[in-house]
Amino acid sequence: MKVIIAGAGNVGRSIATELIEHGHQVVLLEKDPKAFKTDTVPKATWLLADACEVSSLEAAGLEECDVSIAATGDDKANLVHSLLAKTEFSVPRTVGRVNHPKNEWLFSDSWGVDVAVSTPRMLSALVEEAVSVGDLVRLFTFRQSNTDLVEMTLPGDSPCVGRRIGDLRWPADAVLVAVIRDARAMAPEADGALEGGDELLFVTPPEGERELAAMLAPKQAASGAAEPAGDD
């Protein structure tokens, strides 16, 4: 896979290093000569160019890229680059780095952003995930499909504990995608059972989060909420 990264700062270089280690071809664009440090990621193709100029993107071969990552420290530059990548060069997948939380709402398909990565949101989500048991935590938002990746550490007194996964009817459009138990991620199996302390990862639309949280909540907190479906 060919990936172009706008911005060769610490973030851009770190992403490039990871991608190259996984066998991908990476082009790094950087307009600041002081940040042009080819020795830090020698296996990447480096270009001293403005990632917001069409001529520079043409020279970089953006139309041949599978993914474009806007990783500069400037939200305006990241938005412009993503928009050009999507509208002018038809890049299949665009990822935009959000530097300021107040700008997060701009990073949508209207600006050509398929995936917005907000460091403040990710850090706060990880903090919540680390300290919360029984609370649904939103980890990630998929802009194009209007769905979220959410996580809950299942309380020991949840009505779902001990239930066969195949017998649980999740809210509409909610999908259980992984169960993390004893530091190991597992695909959910219909004949498997949930245990207290399991970390459950779901993909769900935002409107389904409340119902999902109520279904997984401890018994004493679930009065009036939807109960797990019984055996047929």
Side-chain angles (χ1 to χ4, degrees):
M1 183 170 66
K2 185 174 182 180
V3 182
I4 195 165
I5 301 175
N10 291 330
V11 173
R13 294 197 303 269
S14 296
I15 296 170
T17 300
E18 289 286 332
L19 291 173
I20 290 171
E21 288 179 355
H22 286 83
H24 302 296
Q25 181 182 354
V26 175
V27 178
L28 274 166
L29 292 182
E30 177 56 57
K31 69 176 183 178
D32 183 1
K34 295 180 180 179
F36 205 76
K37 304 174 181 179
T38 57
D39 58 315
T40 57
V41 193
K43 293 184 180 180
T45 299
W46 287 71
L47 291 176
L48 185 62
D50 190 337
C52 296
E53 291 184 355
V54 173
S55 58
S56 296
L57 299 178
E58 289 176 344
L62 183 55
E63 71 279 358
E64 301 173 356
C65 291
D66 303 291
V67 180
S68 173
I69 302 174
T72 79
D74 185 339
D75 284 344
K76 295 189 294 295
N78 290 343
L79 286 170
V80 171
H81 175 78
S82 297
L83 185 62
L84 290 174
K86 183 62 70 173
T87 60
E88 298 295 325
F89 296 90
S90 301
V91 176
R93 191 74 164 169
T94 58
V95 179
R97 172 190 176 190
V98 184
N99 295 279
H100 198 295
K102 290 184 177 180
N103 294 330
E104 188 172 350
W105 67 276
L106 289 166
F107 285 73
S108 66
D109 54 1
S110 298
W111 277 92
V113 180
D114 293 323
V115 179
V117 180
S118 172
T119 302
R121 171 176 281 196
M122 292 179 67
L123 288 174
S124 63
L126 289 171
V127 169
E128 289 181 24
E129 188 273 333
V131 301
S132 301
V133 174
D135 292 329
L136 201 68
V137 179
R138 184 182 299 174
L139 300 176
F140 198 79
T141 297
F142 299 94
R143 298 288 185 182
Q144 285 189 318
S145 60
N146 190 35
T147 57
D148 299 323
L149 178 66
V150 299
E151 182 270 352
M152 175 185 272
T153 299
L154 194 65
D157 53 353
S158 167
C160 293
V161 169
R163 299 301 302 272
R164 180 176 177 271
I165 292 175
D167 293 333
L168 296 169
R169 297 175 186 160
W170 308 116
D173 298 325
V175 179
L176 177 63
V177 295
V179 177
I180 301 175
R181 181 181 300 161
D182 298 328
R184 187 170 70 90
M186 306 178 294
E189 297 182 356
D191 290 331
L194 297 179
E195 298 180 5
D198 283 350
E199 292 182 57
L200 308 180
L201 294 178
F202 291 88
V203 173
T204 179
E207 58 270 18
E209 292 180 16
R210 185 184 299 272
E211 185 180 354
L212 184 61
M215 179 177 174
L216 297 168
K219 294 176 182 177
Q220 62 267 29
S223 58
E227 290 291 330
D231 295 334
D232 292 333

